[in-house]
């Protein structure tokens, strides 16, 4: 098999990225935009020893699950890759991909729940990042073709609402009236780099990223964007570096620096640098599930690694005694502290600025030390209480003997009255001595208990090592090895893992499974009409 070969094949299965998989002469061929059961004529575009890639030339036999894509740019831009599949089938494919990944990379044959669907399959995104480029002397916006930096000009994205179309249209009109230039990666010249839009409730944040340390045209953009009739804040981000990172900063020019919104009852301030999930409905569903899992796990101490601006941290603070957030971005930590104060959780939440690979193991060790100390103190208190209880029982036994002997005395004859008087005297003497001993011992124990209680005034209940929960929500690359090793050493009672990449999730679970068992694996369709899937896993210590 060679590049350029034309072959006819039948699609046998689905790959990890949603592409069709066929076999030809013992070689696996990956063919995007195809479905199981379809026959296609395709051209080989890439060849290795054990696999190849191809593109469809002609669809010879179509699947019943195939539909006409809504977007005219489908297959050209690097966004959607499942618009040609009915939605129910998309969900089935994604669930199978999660299960196959777990089996292949983690040797886990655990049941994967049905995917929670998105209420909206189009117009659901709350954010877009458009690269800007010039074509025929005009400023254009669009997306990059998949796995390239080749521009694909678009007029409309069907994953974004009309609000986005309106701001894009006015932006392009003003940019072209001013005859502004666009950044060229090869020459590193040109002004405009990206347009970043995000909708929060009824307010849109508009950020223009420029290859400069100044921007003289902000007032002109603000004046024209104001005519749309939608509330907005306007920012400029200065980025003169030769990098793929879109923004390093966001300077407010017009409107609020931080836009306030509400997520599951948590008041939140968001700026262009803040990370937020792009599908509001599915985000809320995942966060609600995490909250319920924390309740079910019955631990009152929670670590939220990769905590961002602290939205989930504050949601969990509603049901926990103590929540620690770990975040590497200083500005996000600053926002998280403000958020905790805004929601009245400053006494419950401690935000730590640092890398989770470094800070999580240290924090887990510290919590375990406190838990072990509290457990030891509680055992001493319980022992003291038992000793006092034992003395009380002895005292009751002596009182019982006294009562029995008193009855005996009443039944004795007058001739033995002196003898009985002597016996009573002896018994009263013994009782008095025993009571003095008991009272002295009780007083001593009470004093020791009081000292222990004052030293450990924060001890509320018996706690043991690992009696806390860790929430992981890492980027697509998954968790660093140090994080996983730290968890295995600290052994928290439960781990709740939120993943946007089944492959790296499976890799991480293959390490954690030595000490943890997945009790729930729940996928969520955060990204309809794409092959991406969000997965929530609850792990329990063995």
């Amino acid at each position: 098999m060679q590049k350029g070969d034309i072959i006819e094949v039948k699609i046998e299965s689905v790959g990890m990225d949603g592409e069709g998989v066929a076999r030809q002469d013992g070689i696996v061929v990956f063919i995007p935009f195809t479905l199981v059961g379809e026959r296609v004529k395709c051209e080989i575009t890439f060849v290795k020893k054990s696999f190849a890639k191809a593109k469809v030339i002609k669809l010879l036999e179509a699947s019943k699950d195939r539909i006409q894509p809504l977007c005219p740019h489908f297959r050209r831009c690097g966004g959607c890759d499942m618009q040609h599949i009915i939605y129910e089938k998309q969900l089935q494919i994604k669930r199978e991909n999660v299960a196959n990944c777990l089996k292949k990379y983690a040797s886990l044959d655990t049941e994967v729940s049905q995917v929670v669907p998105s209420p909206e399959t189009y117009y659901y995104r709350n954010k877009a990042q458009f690269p800007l480029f010039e074509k025929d002397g005009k400023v254009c916006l669009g997306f990059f073709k998949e796995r390239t930096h080749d521009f694909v000009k678009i007029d409309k994205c069907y994953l974004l609402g009309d609000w986005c179309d309106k701001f894009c249209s006015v932006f392009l009109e003003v940019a072209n009236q001013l005859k502004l230039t666009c950044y060229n990666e090869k020459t590193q010249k040109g002004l405009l780099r990206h347009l970043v839009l995000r909708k929060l409730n009824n307010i849109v944040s508009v950020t223009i990223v420029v290859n400069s340390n100044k921007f003289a045209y902000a007032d002109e953009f603000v004046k024209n964007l104001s005519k749309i009739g939608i509330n907005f804040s306007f920012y400029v981000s200065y980025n003169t570096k030769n990098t793929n990172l879109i923004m390093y900063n966001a300077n407010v020019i017009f409107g609020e620096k931080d836009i306030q919104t509400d997520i599951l009852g948590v008041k939140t301030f968001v700026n262009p640098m803040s990370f937020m999930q792009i599908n509001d409905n599915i985000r809320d569903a995942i966060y609600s599930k995490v909250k319920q899992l924390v309740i079910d796990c019955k631990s009152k101490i929670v670590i939220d690694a990769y905590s961002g601006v602290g939205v989930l941290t504050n949601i969990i603070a509603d049901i926990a005694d103590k929540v620690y957030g770990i975040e590497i971005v200083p500005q996000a930590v600053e926002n998280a502290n403000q958020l905790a104060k805004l929601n009245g959780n400053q006494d419950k939440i401690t935000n730590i600025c640092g890398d989770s690979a470094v800070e999580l193991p240290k924090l887990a060790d510290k919590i375990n030390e406190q838990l072990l100390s509290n457990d030891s103190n509680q055992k001493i208190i319980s022992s003291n209480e038992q000793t006092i209880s034992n003395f009380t029982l002895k005292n009751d036994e002596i009182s019982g003997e006294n009562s029995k002997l008193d009855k005996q005395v009443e039944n004795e004859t007058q001739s033995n009255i002196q003898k009985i008087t002597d016996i009573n005297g002896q018994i009263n003497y013994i009782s008095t001595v025993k009571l003095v001993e008991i009272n002295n011992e009780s007083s001593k124990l009470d004093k020791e208990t009081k000292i222990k209680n004052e030293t450990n005034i924060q001890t509320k209940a018996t706690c043991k090592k690992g009696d806390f929960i860790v929430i992981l929500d890492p980027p697509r690359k998954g968790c660093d090895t140090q994080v996983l090793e730290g968890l295995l050493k600290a052994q928290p009672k439960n781990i709740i893992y939120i993943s946007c990449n089944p492959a790296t999730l499976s890799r991480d679970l293959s390490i954690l499974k030595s000490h943890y068992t997945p009790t729930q694996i729940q996928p969520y369709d955060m990204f309809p009409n794409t092959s991406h899937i969000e997965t929530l896993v609850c792990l329990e210590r063995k």
Side-chain angles (χ1 to χ4, degrees), residues 185-202:
E185 289 183 338
K186 295 180 180 178
T187 65
Q188 299 181 35
K189 293 182 179 180
L191 180 62
L192 303 176
R193 298 186 68 147
H194 278 81
L195 174 66
V196 181
L197 303 173
R198 175 188 272 159
K199 187 173 185 291
L200 297 158
N201 294 337
N202 296 317

Side-chain angles (χ1 to χ4, degrees), residues 102 286 290 293 303 305-306 312 469-480 483-484 487 494-512 518 520-524 534-540:
L102 292 172
I286 292 175
V290 171
L293 286 173
I303 300 175
Y306 312 97
L312 183 56
I469 301 169
V470 174
I471 299 173
L472 302 172
D473 190 1
R476 283 188 63 80
K477 68 177 184 178
C479 294
D480 291 318
V483 171
L484 302 176
L487 288 173
N494 294 93
I495 299 172
I496 300 172
Y497 195 135
I498 306 170
S499 168
C500 60
N501 187 342
T504 55
L505 169 66
S506 301
R507 179 203 65 201
D508 293 348
L509 292 187
S510 70
I511 297 173
L512 293 174
Q520 291 188 50
I521 301 176
Q522 178 64 71
Y524 290 81
E534 202 88 358
T535 309
L536 177 63
V537 180
C538 184
L539 299 160
E540 185 175 80

Side-chain angles (χ1 to χ4, degrees), residues 41-56:
K41 178 186 284 189
C42 57
E43 178 184 348
I44 302 299
T45 58
F46 180 87
V47 180
K48 282 283 189 181
K49 184 176 180 180
S50 59
F51 74 95
K53 296 181 181 179
K55 65 179 181 180
V56 175

Side-chain angles (χ1 to χ4, degrees), residues 277-317:
Q277 298 284 10
I278 55 91
N279 187 327
D280 293 346
N281 290 315
I282 294 298
R283 175 204 63 208
D284 290 353
I286 292 175
Y287 287 174
S288 296
K289 181 64 173 179
V290 171
K291 185 176 181 179
Q292 185 58 52
L293 286 173
V294 171
I295 293 173
D296 294 342
C297 293
K298 298 179 180 179
S299 292
K300 291 297 185 179
I301 303 174
V302 181
I303 300 175
D304 180 12
Y306 312 97
S307 56
V309 298
V311 175
L312 183 56
T313 313
N314 278 271
I315 291 172
I316 298 303

Side-chain angles (χ1 to χ4, degrees), residues 96 174 199 207 253 283 289 303 445 449:
E96 289 174 354
V174 175
K199 187 173 185 291
T207 307
I253 305 297
R283 175 204 63 208
K289 181 64 173 179
I303 300 175
L445 289 170
T449 301

Side-chain angles (χ1 to χ4, degrees), residues 391-392 394-399 402 427-443:
F391 276 118
T392 301
K394 289 181 180 179
N395 191 26
D396 290 342
E397 289 176 7
I398 293 171
S399 297
N402 279 339
I427 291 171
N428 287 333
Y429 174 77
I430 293 171
S431 297
T432 302
V433 170
K434 290 292 183 181
L435 284 172
V436 170
E437 290 177 357
I438 290 168
N439 288 333
N440 288 339
E441 193 66 28
S442 296
S443 177

